[in-house]
Amino acid sequence: MTAHAQAAHLETSTGLDNRKVAIWTFIGSECMFFATLISNYMVNKGKSLVGPFPHEPWTSPAGQHFEPIFEIPLVTLGTALLLFSSLFVVLALSGAQRGNRKALIGWLAATIACGVFFVGMQVYEFTHFLHRGLGFTTNLFGSSFYTLTGFHGTHVTIGVLWLATVWVDAVRGKLPPSKSLNLEMAALYWHFVDVVWIIIFPVVYLIK
Amino acid sequence: MLLRTVARCSSRWVTALCLLALVLAGCSPENYPQTTLLPRGDFARIADDLLDTTVKWAILVFVLVEGVLVYAIFRFRGKPGDPEPHQTHGNTTVEIIWTVVPALILAVIAVPTVKAIFETNAVPGKDALTIEVIGHQWWWEFRYPEYNLTTANELHVPIGRMVSLRMGSNDVIHSFWVPQFAAKRDIFANRETRMWFTAEVEGDYPGQCAEFCGIQHGRMAHRIKAQKPAEFQAWVAHMQALGPKPAGAAAPPAPSPRYAEGEKLFTAKGCLACHSMVAVNAPKGMVGPNLANVGGRSYLAAGTLKNTDENLARWIRDPQGIKKGVLMPNLGVTESEAQALVAYLRAHK
Amino acid sequence: MATRVLDQHQAHAASHDEKTGLWSWITTVDHKRIGILYGATAFLFFLIGGIEALLLRIQLGSAENTFLSPDLYNQLFTMHGTTMIFLAIMPLSAMFFNFMIPLLIGARDVAFPRLNAFSYWVFLLGGLFLNASFLFGAAPDQGWFGYANLTSKQYSPGLNVDFWMLGLQILGIASLAAAVNFFVTIVNMRAPGMTLMRMPMFVWMSFITQVLLLLAFPVITVALILLMYDRFFGSAFFVPSGGGDPLLWQHLFWIFGHPEVYILILPAFGIVSEVLPVFSRKPLFGYAAMVFSGVFIAFLGFGVWSHHMFSTGMGPLADTFFALSTMLIAIPTGVKIFNWIGTMWGGSLQYRTPMLFAIGFIAMFIIGGLSGVMHSSPPADLQQTDTYFVVAHFHYVLFGGSIFGLTAGAYYWWPKMFGRMLNEGLGKVHFWLMLIGFNLTFFPMHFVGLNGMPRRVYTYPEGLGFELLNQVETAGSFVLGVAFLVFLVNIFQTWRKPRNAPADPWNGATLEWAIPSPPPEFNFAEIPTVHGRDALWELKRERGGTLPEPARVSGAGIHLPNPSYWPLVTAVGILAFFVTLMTLAATGIWPVIASFALLLLGVYKWAYEPAG
């Protein structure tokens, strides 16, 4: 983006930058995407022909015993960190808008760290579930669970990559207040990804 | 100038004649054995009454609205030098009227609709004749739990007695369509769907699958033979004799040497693996249609061929050539073997 | 220093009004050029879809015909539907979104010119991907709505469903990107004074269409992903033996599919709402009602989807709900028809070709709407659904509606887009042939359907009475073919004429007629300020009736976006991603990852290149 392009603030009908309206529009569309995935999960609840199951133990016809598969404490920790990361990115954005480079770089790093932990937690969870007998095609629960949380995790990963790109720009001194919109867009996307998780967490992990 | 006038006149006549021909052809449902417009059963009559209602209103609205449009086309035709017309932006009263009136018309359609929805979803009483319909790619399996009978592609029902259809599919989604007595209902592999009807008029009625189900969806027809109750009972009794032979009893003598040869071939060629020859206690989930009474059916291969000896032989020798993609393979049956098999199958009426 | 160099560069670029050559088209980010690319590509696909239809009609012209084998027939009817919906009507609408929306709202371009180019390239590549299936003898053959569990690996083991499934995903990306773009453009780039309730009706209808795209496409995206997981990885979302439910597919598909039909018709509604006032010489009747009925239709359009599923036995409560919501949606639709007639009423009607098609639209859409109301009653629909009656219904609304409307738009806006007027005489011949051919082809289908002919059948036996009406329909389809030949002749003849159409040949009401035909790259030398609806009529009235022919100015100093090839690179990355996904079993994961890397490269370079 040239300085020329950004400084010549074309008047828009809403007063908002085109890119800000665009990210909100995109988020609106993504809401439908996740609403469909979440609905698919809910519709398939209780329909699995075989276990392992999320909240109940199960013994296979061959005699193998499976405990309920979810490990709530770990996921709760990841959830909490993801929630805090939304606060951190707000602080980073505030720093960017006020020209406080230290705040920007520090809080943005914290945001990214939380995101990385969350993804790491999910990778660990998926691997562990696989070991414990829940594959993608084991049952409808497995397919729906991995699809829903997998797509969310992919969105988190893309968010982490996006934030990291912005962070590199910040470290290189290429994120002055006039360019804070770049971070604001990434931050809006990040909040969205967080809100989706706030819905997924109870629907998938908590409600039986 | 003259040419244009002639062209306009003749094209008008041609158009009028075409429309007349269309109307005549379209308005005589008697020419269409599979028509929905000549209900001969209660369920179909419910659908037809609703159609009647909606068509009447549709025609009324059509005539009115298209009429106004055509009128406007002629009345407000612009001429060169016309002044600018009055720049009307709207008329609240008129707009309210033409929002409310359609709403009222729809309400008038909605009331009998909702009533009919509940009527058609009602569960038949205990004295209904239950028939199980199982759709296969690309043929129909019919079972009568009350009589322990299984048959295929041709369904016999008594007139005057309610038939309760309980339906499912062996593979993909199909749809069982009985336009003369009922309507259509889709059938699934993982849930049961239902339909009911009471046939009122004797006869032989064609129907077809009405949900795209693969390469031979177009050749998945069935026939319904609606019979007087006594004749239906006679048919049931006849079918019940097509059961498995009791164990230990001597097999009845073969009607002819060709029959005997055909009977041997039927096993040797592997036909028995897919087709059952007994109508009573027939096994479930067979790949091919039950052939216990195939000799007497009107059609072969779900309405694909008329059931003549020649067609039956052709079918046995080259099902893929006649109905490409069907699950019955070409088994390399010779002409002579086919004749024997025809003799065997023809005897199973 | 750097700024001054940049200014000089821009002035230099702006003064080169007419860039020529293949490279300039490949790297274009100009909404007008992208519009023309959409239009030409879509029209070609439309002709392909039309040939597919003619082949189907030849096969059905006689009983027990063997002109087409059953599998080829099934491929052709599937591709006919898929092509007409996704590769013809939607991108033809996109041609008008692209060319006209910025002009109608007084803007210089869309919000994101490179994203715009990206949408076109993805559409083109998606359309080519889908049609490449013919080269493998494996064109999609499961119907345009691909019901599970016919589409499972077990019952459709070939590549046919894979082409369809992945092809639609590619096209979905194009649609979503374009929808974000036009949504932001309309929300944010209107000329000063153009409030929402002063926007031209085509802009309003297009705006609503973008909202529908944004909310409906994610649903089919998920459905196609679940189908892909079933087919490629062995999950059982739609497979009964694994606990899945084929009916789930139908719900997901139609939650997308019903808004999709409004996506197909609303732009045509908008075009007709532009054409009728100009050729009636009076404003659109009931502007506010037209806006609100459009919004209501879009909103309600998400609540009627199961009227496509009345025969599935959902139970009386579901049937009742969807019957009532479907009847309800007829009301705002009817309101629009009355408002159009009200526009004509008391006017001074000018029967030029655009007007003929607009009136034809109204006449045909009334019929399609009425057969739709007939479908809304579930017990009656149980006889009508999956027969030729419903084929008649949707062709009346999609052809009689959308195609007639889009054709009206073509004749209307042709001078603005190409600087030449299409021939009026040929236009009238085109209209009459199309009207007659269309009705000959599709009106009999109402009757043959109610009289027992199911849809999607590759042949029919003798003795059911279907022959006569099918012959008439086949004859009608060839009349339609001739109509399009006439249109093609008109286009070619017009192409060779000098580019001297006036700026305002029709005495238009909207801003696009105030600038030269075709417009300069920057559209408006000065962004206009708008004081009401029908802004140009207002202006002409103020200035004594007409405006002088606008001069062609150099546009020096006007800031225009630079051309770019990164949108094309990204689009190629997307195509490669889906192709390698399709061959996953044979070629493994690394080509998929490489494609994704190409995609990321394209995005990264695009994000960081100077926008200019």
Side-chain angles (χ1 to χ4, degrees), chain B residues 67-142:
Chain B
V68 169
L69 177 64
V70 170
Y71 176 76
I73 289 171
F74 287 101
R75 169 74 175 76
F76 300 109
R77 184 187 201 107
K79 288 160 218 88
D82 265 355
E84 188 183 74
H86 186 54
Q87 303 286 289
T88 323
H89 285 84
N91 181 323
T92 315
T93 315
V94 166
E95 290 179 57
I96 292 178
I97 293 175
W98 72 36
T99 312
V100 169
V101 168
L104 290 173
I105 295 176
L106 288 165
V108 165
I109 296 175
V111 169
T113 293
V114 176
K115 183 162 170 289
I117 290 172
F118 281 87
E119 264 183 73
T120 51
N121 275 280
V123 180
K126 287 276 177 339
D127 22 292
L129 171 63
T130 302
I131 299 179
E132 289 170 9
V133 176
I134 300 128
H136 295 250
Q137 284 180 318
W138 292 274
W139 57 277
W140 299 98
E141 181 181 345
F142 300 121

Side-chain angles (χ1 to χ4, degrees), chain A:
Chain A
M1 310 285 163
T2 61
H4 180 88
Q6 290 241 219
H9 238 307
L10 302 147
E11 272 160 32
T12 58
S13 312
T14 58
L16 297 170
D17 188 292
N18 280 349
R19 288 168 293 165
K20 199 162 185 181
V21 181
I23 194 74
W24 276 109
T25 309
F26 175 66
I27 285 171
S29 187
E30 288 257 87
C31 282
M32 275 307 271
F33 182 75
F34 278 103
T36 311
L37 282 172
I38 293 170
S39 304
N40 178 63
Y41 182 86
M42 289 168 66
V43 154
N44 285 326
K45 241 179 168 163
K47 291 234 188 99
S48 292
L49 299 176
V50 298
F53 296 117
H55 301 290
E56 305 141 6
W58 178 68
T59 311
S60 74
Q64 214 189 343
H65 183 77
F66 296 89
E67 285 299 301
I69 200 115
F70 282 149
E71 283 158 27
I72 308 290
L74 177 64
V75 183
T76 311
L77 176 61
T79 306
L81 282 171
L82 199 65
L83 286 172
F84 271 108
S85 74
S86 268
L87 170 64
F88 298 158
V89 81
V90 167
L91 294 168
L93 180 61
S94 167
Q97 285 166 340
R98 287 178 296 118
N100 183 340
R101 210 163 152 261
K102 269 181 81 176
L104 162 60
I105 293 171
W107 288 118
L108 193 50
T111 311
I112 294 167
C114 289
V116 169
F117 179 90
F118 183 88
V119 176
M121 178 272 295
Q122 284 228 285
V123 169
Y124 168 79
E125 186 190 39
F126 283 16
T127 324
H128 204 206
F129 284 4
L130 271 165
H131 279 313
R132 288 175 59 197
L134 184 70
F136 183 69
T137 59
T138 308
N139 54 16
L140 268 180
F141 160 61
S143 310
S144 306
F145 170 79
Y146 286 123
T147 302
L148 174 58
T149 55
F151 266 102
H152 177 263
T154 309
H155 279 73
V156 176
T157 309
I158 292 172
V160 164
L161 290 170
W162 189 355
L163 289 169
T165 321
V166 176
W167 187 81
V168 166
D169 276 351
V171 161
R172 284 189 182 167
K174 290 192 178 158
L175 202 68
S178 61
K179 283 200 178 171
S180 62
L181 182 64
N182 291 358
L183 176 57
E184 193 174 356
M185 285 170 60
L188 280 167
Y189 175 79
W190 190 254
H191 292 313
F192 165 70
V193 157
D194 205 353
V195 167
V196 171
W197 184 255
I198 291 172
I199 299 170
I200 292 179
F201 181 57
V203 166
V204 171
Y205 290 92
L206 300 182
I207 299 175
K208 296 218 162 71

Side-chain angles (χ1 to χ4, degrees), chain B residues 11 18 32 38 55 57 66 91 124 141 143 155 168 198 206 212 225 247 251 257 259 280 290 323 330 344:
Chain B
S11 75
C18 285
Y32 300 89
L38 278 178
V55 162
W57 283 107
E66 298 273 11
N91 181 323
E141 181 181 345
R143 298 180 156 258
L155 184 65
T198 311
F212 185 70
K225 315 251 179 198
Y259 177 102
V280 182
N290 187 297
K323 194 170 171 181
N330 281 15
Y344 171 66

Side-chain angles (χ1 to χ4, degrees), chain C residues 500-538:
Chain C
N500 57 7
D504 186 13
W506 311 117
N507 189 13
T510 38
L511 291 174
E512 75 272 32
W513 307 108
I515 56 180
S517 300
E521 197 180 340
F522 49 84
N523 301 341
F524 299 91
E526 261 180 57
I527 302 290
T529 305
V530 161
H531 302 288
R533 288 175 206 157
D534 302 326
L536 201 61
W537 277 352
E538 277 294 317

